Amino acid sequence: MKYTSQTVAKPYFIFALILLAGEILFGLLMAIQYLYGDFLFPLIPFNVLRMVHTNLLIVLLLNGFMGATYYLIPEETERELWSPKLAILTFWVFAAAGVATILGYLFVPYAQLTELTFNNLLPTMGREFLEQPLPTKVGIVLVVVSYVVNTIMTVLLGRRTVITTVLISGLIGLAVFFLFAFYVPDNLVMDKFFWWFTVHLWVEATWELIMGAILAFVLIKTTGVDREHIDKWLYLIIAMTMVSGILGTGHHFFYMGAPEYWLWIGSISSAVEPLPFLLMILFAFSMARDRKIKHDNEIALTWAKGTAVMSFLGAGVWGFFHTLAPVNMFTHGTQLTAAHGHLSFYGAYIMIIFTVISYAMPILRGRPHGNSKSAQKVELTSFWMMNIGMLGLTLALSAAGIVQIMDQRVGTELIGFMESQESIASIYMVRAGFGVLVLAGLFTYFYSFFVKENNA
């Protein structure tokens, strides 16, 4: 570790992994409720489980991004972090706010929570993914602003690279587009229109810039390839991401009251969206092929290559499956949407966090060459367990979505929603089984941190 301020990344990484375990656990509880509707009811109804599941995802990803930034920025700028104390303060504020919000979801009826948290002053609650109470949303803004300021000040006072430029662009976008969470028009069409400005432009635009910067940093460290070579790839990927990602917001505007031209814009731009992820695969594997050093931390490079492949499958392939307007008419709102959501979030963002943690955490723990070979073998096992689990889960949800479409939308003898759900119960059991495999893989990953130092 070159800079002492990099240690502020450690609590962010640890907390992100803890939140990931919670997110998977609540996902499994939801999977059980799909099979047994009365499970945990009325103690924790399905809508609360889902709210906790999705909100944990958002909080853990933001923690992972902050940890990655605070680790890589000192090395990229060749100076200490502008304010390590601010970074630590931000962590504890964010952690406290996140835990308090989740506890509020679990123990306070949502309608009562809106009253207790002054939603009447500025109504922002009740929307999917943005269910956070007003004080929590304000807290997120303050945390993100301090995060962006800390990063920008560090860059301004130190060396500037393509990685820091791309990263800061993503961070600014992250901060700006979250502000649409505070804008709730009375018109439902307008509400959904601007709601996607946060949800889509986070996930399929600004977060991809952050992901690209982190991936480039890890590849530089683990392959030794010239920075200029990696920079050219990064610029190309980011340019295609921004063009297709921003216009790709249109694939959420199908059949909701928006102008008809969005059917064309959304379909054409969404057809292009897999290409940046395909380039990311070529990028990662080309760097691995042309590497100038053989870094002892082989598993970090494995995670990097896995990120490129799984993000292409989840965000690219499964996204393309149902973002053409004539197809989306039948697929929207089915389990195909959930299949795409699970694999894209995991492949692009969960895996990039695993990638940077796998590289940085051993160094933060005094192991500059990575964990021992035996520990890396255990971590490789967890890699395959989680990836196979997520692919199996995605295929099960895809099968369930196809059955839903045939049962309710294009079949000759259509049946009701609950009848269709009963017909795919066996598929839900398979989905739950693969979910258990993912959780077991995560616990195996945790175990790898405690494997004794034995390089034999």
Side-chain angles (χ1 to χ4, degrees):
M1 186 172 60
K2 296 180 180 178
Y3 302 94
T4 57
S5 60
Q6 289 178 291
T7 57
V8 303
K10 195 171 183 180
Y12 284 98
F13 288 151
I14 294 172
F15 193 52
L17 292 174
I18 293 171
L19 293 174
L20 177 59
E23 190 218 354
I24 296 173
L25 177 61
F26 277 94
L28 283 173
L29 294 177
M30 290 168 61
I32 296 172
Q33 283 195 349
Y34 265 100
L35 294 166
Y36 307 101
D38 290 336
F39 179 70
L40 291 181
F41 186 83
L43 183 63
I44 312 180
F46 182 87
N47 68 301
V48 173
L49 285 176
R50 189 180 187 280
M51 195 160 51
V52 173
H53 180 63
T54 55
N55 278 248
L56 281 173
L57 174 67
I58 295 169
V59 176
L60 83 87
L61 290 178
L62 291 177
N63 270 274
F65 292 158
M66 286 190 240
T69 301
Y70 291 142
Y71 182 85
L72 72 85
I73 278 293
E75 289 200 23
E76 285 295 299
T77 59
E78 297 181 342
R79 72 175 308 277
E80 296 287 359
L81 197 62
W82 179 64
S83 178
K85 291 182 179 178
L86 179 61
I88 290 295
L89 176 64
T90 300
F91 168 76
W92 287 111
V93 169
F94 196 27
V99 170
T101 301
I102 298 301
L103 292 177
Y105 292 157
L106 290 172
F107 297 108
V108 182
Y110 195 70
Q112 185 179 346
L113 190 63
T114 63
E115 297 176 2
L116 293 174
T117 56
F118 313 108
N119 191 61
N120 59 310
L121 298 178
L122 180 63
T124 66
M125 296 175 69
R127 295 187 295 169
E128 187 181 11
F129 299 115
L130 301 177
E131 299 95 345
Q132 305 87 16
L134 180 60
T136 302
K137 285 190 175 76
V138 173
I140 291 174
V141 170
L142 295 176
V143 165
V144 171
V145 167
S146 70
Y147 166 40
V148 173
V149 168
N150 211 347
T151 303
I152 290 177
M153 289 302 297
T154 306
V155 172
L156 289 177
L157 296 172
R159 183 183 67 159
R160 301 175 197 179
T161 66
V162 172
I163 289 177
T164 61
T165 300
V166 171
L167 179 61
I168 288 175
S169 299
L171 298 187
I172 292 173
L174 185 157
V176 170
F177 288 121
F178 184 71
L179 296 179
F180 285 98
F182 293 89
Y183 178 53
V184 186
D186 293 332
N187 182 286
L188 183 59
V189 174
M190 295 296 290
D191 175 30
K192 296 300 290 185
F193 191 91
F194 287 105
W195 177 78
W196 284 113
F197 277 33
T198 294
V199 177
H200 174 93
L201 291 174
W202 259 17
V203 174
E204 297 181 57
T206 58
W207 285 9
E208 289 184 21
L209 300 183
I210 299 170
M211 171 195 172
I214 297 171
L215 182 63
F217 172 80
V218 174
L219 286 173
I220 286 175
K221 296 299 181 182
T222 56
T223 67
V225 173
D226 291 340
R227 182 178 289 271
E228 291 76 13
H229 189 40
I230 285 182
D231 288 348
K232 291 176 183 178
W233 275 93
L234 189 56
Y235 271 135
L236 179 61
I237 292 169
I238 296 309
M240 292 195 66
T241 296
M242 295 309 294
V243 172
S244 62
I246 292 174
L247 290 177
T249 313
H251 69 236
H252 299 293
F253 300 156
F254 298 160
Y255 315 115
M256 56 166 274
E260 188 175 350
Y261 55 73
W262 283 112
L263 299 177
W264 289 96
I265 296 174
S267 296
I268 294 171
S269 57
S270 296
V272 178
E273 281 195 72
L275 294 182
F277 291 99
L278 179 60
L279 285 175
M280 206 169 288
I281 291 179
L282 298 175
F283 172 47
F285 281 82
S286 296
M287 298 307 103
R289 182 197 63 205
D290 299 334
R291 60 183 178 175
K292 296 183 177 180
I293 61 172
K294 185 174 177 58
H295 199 284
D296 292 332
N297 193 344
E298 286 285 336
I299 190 63
L301 183 58
T302 300
W303 278 111
K305 292 188 289 186
T307 298
V309 173
M310 294 295 280
S311 62
F312 170 69
L313 291 175
V317 176
W318 257 264
F320 177 74
F321 279 164
H322 69 142
T323 49
L324 297 178
V327 177
N328 188 262
M329 178 185 292
F330 299 99
T331 62
H332 188 79
T334 68
Q335 294 293 345
L336 270 172
T337 305
H340 162 55
H342 278 79
L343 193 58
S344 58
F345 271 112
Y346 171 79
Y349 302 121
I350 299 297
M351 285 194 68
I352 195 61
I353 290 173
F354 277 128
T355 300
V356 69
I357 290 177
S358 185
Y359 171 76
M361 188 63 86
I363 299 173
L364 292 171
R365 300 175 70 200
R367 301 168 185 174
H369 299 288
N371 288 326
S372 64
K373 291 182 180 179
S374 52
Q376 290 190 48
K377 287 180 181 178
V378 173
E379 191 174 340
L380 182 62
T381 301
S382 75
F383 171 91
W384 285 112
M385 290 173 70
M386 283 188 278
N387 281 284
I388 292 171
M390 283 304 305
L391 283 172
L393 185 153
T394 301
L395 289 171
L397 287 173
S398 300
I402 292 170
V403 174
Q404 275 186 291
I405 294 166
M406 299 305 297
D407 282 348
Q408 298 179 262
R409 302 184 180 183
V410 299
T412 55
E413 297 181 7
L414 302 182
I415 61 177
F417 175 79
M418 292 308 295
E419 292 175 288
S420 177
Q421 292 298 295
E422 187 175 355
S423 72
I424 54 182
S426 58
I427 301 177
Y428 284 151
M429 291 188 69
V430 174
R431 184 267 298 269
F434 279 111
V436 171
L437 179 60
V438 174
L439 184 61
L442 180 62
F443 286 141
T444 304
Y445 181 83
F446 290 161
Y447 170 67
S448 71
F449 284 94
F450 301 98
V451 174
K452 293 181 179 180
E453 290 292 316
N454 178 14
N455 288 297

